[in-house]
Amino acid sequence: MPGPVFLDGDPVALHTITEDDYDFLVENRNRPAVRHGIAQSEPTSREEYREMIEEGEDDVAFLPCVDGEPVGYVWAFHINDVSRNALLGYWIAEDHQGKGYGTAMVDRMVEWAFRDRGLHKLWAHVIEHNDASRRVLEKNGFAHEGVLREQFWVEGEFADVDSFGL
């Protein structure tokens, strides 16, 4: 069961993450429809999620929910308090893809990063074949800033990564 609402929104609210949420996170991140989009080549365990969420010193993670039900995961990591920027990561569970939830949760995260956290810039990487993620960023005002050639090994081949910034 998700923790309390941290940042409300329609249709997606960002909730704090509790230990009860780890099963949802592990089950969905390990699915091919999710992990291929984020270049995840190794399984993620419940313990690894616990460490990322509870011990990540430069990370802030939320559980995006619609009507109290989790639909994905969104986090800011490599938060740099000097340069006031962070890398944005996110995924939507396979059963909830294509419904606009990714765009809405990134919008909430942008609001948190700039208004509440006082960051100056968010940046994100998108694997070349992940057109849905690219659209999410563009709808939220991110600009394409460059290409990292053959940056990740995905589905048996090297893939380029587009870099976006806001």
Side-chain angles (χ1 to χ4, degrees):
M1 171 142 192
V5 172
F6 185 83
L7 189 60
D8 210 354
D10 183 30
V12 176
L14 299 184
H15 289 248
T16 60
I17 299 171
T18 70
E19 191 171 332
D20 292 340
D21 300 319
Y22 296 162
D23 288 339
F24 167 84
L25 295 170
V26 169
E27 177 185 333
N28 285 283
R29 182 178 175 148
N30 287 313
R31 290 184 179 198
V34 172
R35 67 181 173 83
H36 289 165
I38 59 173
Q40 183 70 30
S41 60
E42 311 239 341
T44 302
S45 70
R46 185 178 171 86
E47 178 62 20
E48 288 169 318
Y49 254 112
R50 187 199 65 72
E51 288 176 10
M52 283 189 295
I53 292 166
E54 295 177 14
E55 298 174 17
E57 293 179 18
D58 296 328
D59 301 352
V60 176
F62 296 105
L63 193 70
C65 296
V66 173
D67 298 325
E69 293 299 317
V71 297
Y73 182 67
V74 62
W75 70 107
F77 56 111
H78 301 307
I79 298 174
N80 183 317
D81 286 321
V82 174
S83 298
R84 294 177 41 209
N85 63 40
L87 182 57
L88 174 67
Y90 54 91
W91 55 259
I92 291 288
E94 183 175 11
D95 296 342
H96 298 288
Q97 293 176 359
K99 299 177 182 178
Y101 298 152
T103 300
M105 74 181 189
V106 167
D107 179 65
R108 296 291 94 67
M109 198 63 173
V110 166
E111 178 183 349
W112 167 82
F114 293 119
R115 186 193 71 189
D116 296 344
R117 187 61 170 74
L119 295 180
H120 175 70
K121 181 178 182 177
L122 282 177
W123 47 288
H125 291 148
V126 177
I127 298 169
E128 64 184 332
H129 67 270
N130 195 340
D131 294 333
S133 186
R134 181 177 286 102
R135 284 191 304 275
V136 163
L137 293 173
E138 289 170 346
K139 286 179 181 178
N140 277 286
F142 283 75
H144 186 261
E145 294 185 340
V147 178
L148 303 170
R149 300 284 178 212
E150 299 183 354
Q151 184 71 13
F152 290 116
W153 181 256
V154 181
E155 299 181 43
E157 62 187 22
F158 285 103
D160 292 350
V161 172
D162 290 303
S163 183
F164 287 82
L166 177 67

